[in-house]
Amino acid sequence: MHRKAITALTLAAALVVTPALAATPAAAAAKPNLRACYDGKCKFTFTKPVKFRVAKKFGLDRWVHVAKEWSDYAGQDVVVVWSGGSTVSATEGFSGGINKLDFRVPSITDQGATIRFTG
């Protein structure tokens, strides 16, 4: 009988701890994998400014920077993509590019934005 009580307590403790442990990998998975962007083809959602490297074939500086900013000109949040001296501001739904690197901005929210680089 004593052994069953210990097993039940162990199982109950595991069930209580599991949600806290499960939340950690989900939070880590939310961070975009920016190494996948090196070939110019990736999609990610970001909440803070990010930077990543791209191949030289795109004719850009070593790093590409992406951020969400308020634009007084547009009167709304925009996604800003820049590298070296080239900068592009994009509203939601915008398709365009910077040098030879094309991208689209599917969504911009209060929390962040999503961008898809298509090479």
Side-chain angles (χ1 to χ4, degrees):
M1 187 69 151
H2 182 63
R3 184 176 227 162
K4 287 182 183 180
I6 291 174
T7 303
L9 286 173
T10 304
L11 181 60
L15 291 174
V16 170
V17 173
T18 301
L21 293 176
T24 305
K31 186 175 180 182
N33 178 10
L34 300 176
R35 286 186 180 187
C37 295
Y38 184 79
D39 68 354
K41 295 181 181 178
C42 63
K43 177 182 177 182
F44 59 88
T45 300
F46 61 96
T47 57
K48 297 187 277 187
V50 297
K51 69 179 184 176
F52 56 91
R53 292 182 62 180
V54 293
K56 290 181 181 181
K57 69 179 182 178
F58 298 110
L60 297 169
D61 195 20
R62 184 176 183 170
W63 295 95
V64 173
H65 301 262
V66 180
K68 184 184 92 159
E69 298 177 355
W70 176 259
S71 168
D72 288 332
Y73 178 75
Q76 61 185 346
D77 284 329
V78 296
V79 172
V80 180
V81 180
W82 73 95
S83 181
S86 302
T87 303
V88 176
S89 295
T91 57
E92 187 172 277
F94 176 89
S95 290
I98 183 169
N99 274 7
K100 299 175 189 172
L101 181 62
D102 295 328
F103 64 90
R104 177 167 166 59
V105 179
S107 67
I108 300 174
T109 66
D110 289 340
Q111 290 77 31
T114 300
I115 189 164
R116 173 177 289 174
F117 288 91
T118 57

